[in-house]
Amino acid sequence: MTGQRTYGGISAAERRSQRRAALLDAALDILGTQGIDKLTVAALCAGANLNERYYYENFDGRDAVLSALFDTIAEELAGTLILALHTAPDDSRAKAHAAITAGVHVLTDDPRKARVALLVSSATPELRTRTVHTVRAFANIVAAEGADFYALTTPAPDPTITFRATYLVGGLIQTLTAWLQGDLPMTRDELITETTDIFVLLGEDLAGRLRES
């Protein structure tokens, strides 16, 4: 069996992955600091220090770059949230606070990520649809983790769980957007605390109602 050819101990697949990552890093910087109009092939390749042929090796257009970058941020966010949930103390407030803190920090420690998420969410009809699907995926995470924590898992979960999870995720996105735009005069810690209160309030209330029914 022939092994994959390597250069300097790095395989062709690994080099391609590194080039793709470099292009996405350049896209994050351009979108996060200059805006979508500056996201050109030439600018991307200059930022990644790559020949233009490597752009076309990975992407077939600007929407593909936007989608890939959006997905990368969403994957980081999901992984961070789940890790925070699973390592927090076994208490509803502690878990909610840990997950919300982790998510908010991903999007605000590097403000470019939040700007990219907002830009992509309204760039094109296709990307708006992608955003809707991503929000639904995060709502599903919240619903599944909440049902598991409160031991509400059944063969046919109550649809109210999905409703509240969707409401919470959608509300958090709108609230975080308003805060990032300077429309909410509060600190980041205050934002996290208030959001935690709402998540715990709606979660505890629904768990109590479902156990009584």
Side-chain angles (χ1 to χ4, degrees):
M1 183 168 60
T2 305
Q4 189 177 45
R5 192 174 183 184
T6 62
Y7 294 89
I10 302 175
S11 70
E14 289 171 327
R15 290 197 307 278
R16 177 171 178 170
S17 178
Q18 289 174 352
R19 290 193 292 266
R20 187 176 187 275
L23 287 164
L24 289 178
D25 283 344
L28 174 63
D29 192 55
I30 293 167
L31 287 166
T33 61
Q34 301 176 56
I36 197 168
D37 291 340
K38 301 297 183 181
L39 189 68
T40 64
V41 174
L44 270 173
C45 293
N49 196 28
L50 291 171
N51 187 288
E52 287 191 11
R53 73 185 178 91
Y54 293 122
Y55 169 88
Y56 294 105
E57 171 189 68
N58 289 280
F59 305 108
D60 59 9
R62 187 169 70 174
D63 280 7
V65 177
L66 292 170
S67 296
L69 183 56
F70 184 79
D71 289 348
T72 298
I73 295 171
E75 288 165 8
E76 178 189 1
L77 186 57
T80 302
L81 289 173
I82 292 171
L83 178 62
L85 279 169
H86 291 181
T87 55
D90 193 23
D91 170 82
S92 60
R93 175 167 292 278
K95 286 189 177 295
H97 188 270
I100 292 164
T101 298
V104 170
H105 275 259
V106 166
L107 294 174
T108 58
D109 284 349
D110 184 348
R112 297 175 305 171
K113 293 176 181 177
R115 293 191 192 108
V116 167
L118 295 177
L119 280 171
V120 171
S121 68
S122 59
T124 68
E126 179 183 346
L127 290 169
R128 285 195 291 273
T129 299
R130 194 182 201 89
T131 302
V132 169
H133 291 162
T134 301
V135 170
R136 186 179 303 151
F138 277 96
N140 289 339
I141 291 174
V142 171
E145 293 289 341
D148 182 63
F149 176 81
Y150 291 111
L152 301 175
T153 52
T154 62
D158 192 293
T160 311
I161 297 174
T162 301
F163 167 79
R164 291 212 180 187
T166 303
Y167 181 88
L168 287 167
V169 172
L172 176 54
I173 290 170
Q174 292 300 319
T175 302
L176 184 57
T177 299
W179 182 78
L180 288 166
Q181 293 174 340
D183 296 331
L184 288 177
M186 59 198 324
T187 67
R188 182 169 67 173
D189 285 346
E190 289 171 340
L191 175 71
I192 290 169
T193 298
E194 292 296 326
T195 304
T196 299
D197 288 344
I198 294 170
F199 269 67
V200 173
L201 177 65
L202 291 186
E204 296 281 353
D205 171 73
L206 181 58
R209 285 173 49 190
L210 293 179
R211 284 174 182 145
E212 292 172 359
S213 61

